[in-house]
Amino acid sequence: MLSKHQCSLAYRLLHQYSKCLVFHWYSNVEIVGQEHIPYGKPCIIQANHQNALMDCVTLLGFFRQPILFFARSDMFSKPLQMKILHFLKILPAYRHQEGWENVKKNEENFHVAQQWLQQGLPLCIMPEGGQDEKHRLRSFVKGPFRIALATQHDIGQAEQVFMLPIGIGHGDYNKAGYPLLINIGKPIDVQTYLDEYQKNNALAINHLKTDVHQALQPLMLDIASQEHYEDFYTIACLCDVLLMKKRQWRHTQLNQLKARQSIIDTLQQMEKEEQLSSELLQASQKLRISHKNVLLLAKSLQSDNEKWTNVLFVMCTLPLYIVGGVVNFPIWLLMFWIDKKMGKSGFAATINYVIWIILSPIFQLLASIIIGICLQSWLVFIVLIVAMPILSLFCVKYYTRLQLLGYQLGCRKQKSIALLIQNIVSQMNI
């Protein structure tokens, strides 16, 4: 695991295969700041962590090099899981609550990480120490900063170690067909903390940790409010396009993030000053009680004039969706069962993605072979082996489009509440 030359052929093939497919899981992927990645230099990726292994998969999707990851040690409790995670270049990170005898095992894994870094390969330790399905940045653990400074100390002045902040913004944590924003910040040179580290280890680690936290915060949506978290997120999603139009910004995911940040900052300042509109909060709460998807509701308002075009598209392509659903039915049924079983656990998307890229092709190959043999036709086999993966991908996109159409044609009560929220926000000084 210590060398890129030790990456097995199976790992390299899986890495490339996943890179080809991962961004098809999302409706739209926007990557900002790729020029900031210090390829060939020791680099520790510092990303917000909100969506289990999907965060790791998306990072691997655009990095040219293999990445060494750390994950919670309880994920290594079963022998098969441990083998799979080691194959994927994921090491366990032990926490204090698991006992000091286990925490000592971190030293060996941290040494492995330092060797990996010294080869100019990227390491990723999510600095929050765990995942949380909320758009907020939590406090950081010390592990990645200890490794960064210890590695820089060993290398000395010969080469720089970098901390690379990356904001990951998932449109939806558990479902396919939603947008994804990867927002890469400027790397932080660990060498500048070396003199302080040599004088006072703990102080240098804390300074580096604080600076990385401050660098990552503007790259993502950070809703600090505890009491009104859900309300603020709902309002920001409904009003982001409104603010982009006001400021004459192009509709990109980065600009959408900036608009939401501005709205959230204003709302949190009003909360601090006890000036929040009770009408605004009541409207948001009514909307949330309806359990409607706020992202689809907002999109339906933005694209209301396109609903008949969407109707035409959905009707014309319905036969393809039916065929795709029939030939891939066992896979969709399994994914549906996982959604119901796991709920919003943060791992549903990860498991469904693994099914989609690994079990789905195996099923499609076997189904094509069986049907081809039954019909005694090579032509049928070839057509199925080509058509089934394409139909599977199409079904993912179509289902989201179908959901949007449902919101465009219905949800009148929710739309009236959403328009009220937009009207109140438009009168604020944002």
Side-chain angles (χ1 to χ4, degrees), residues 50-70:
Q50 297 168 356
N51 201 11
L53 291 177
M54 287 307 293
D55 289 335
C56 304
V57 169
T58 53
L59 291 172
L60 284 167
F62 65 90
F63 260 80
R64 297 199 298 263
Q65 300 167 302
I67 302 172
L68 180 65
F69 292 95
F70 275 79

Side-chain angles (χ1 to χ4, degrees), residues 354-383:
V354 170
I355 290 171
W356 189 60
I357 72 165
I358 296 178
L359 291 187
S360 184
I362 293 172
F363 166 78
Q364 291 163 0
L365 176 61
L366 291 175
S368 301
I369 291 171
I370 292 169
I371 295 171
I373 290 173
C374 290
L375 298 178
Q376 297 183 343
S377 171
W378 277 102
L379 180 60
V380 170
F381 168 75
I382 292 170
V383 168

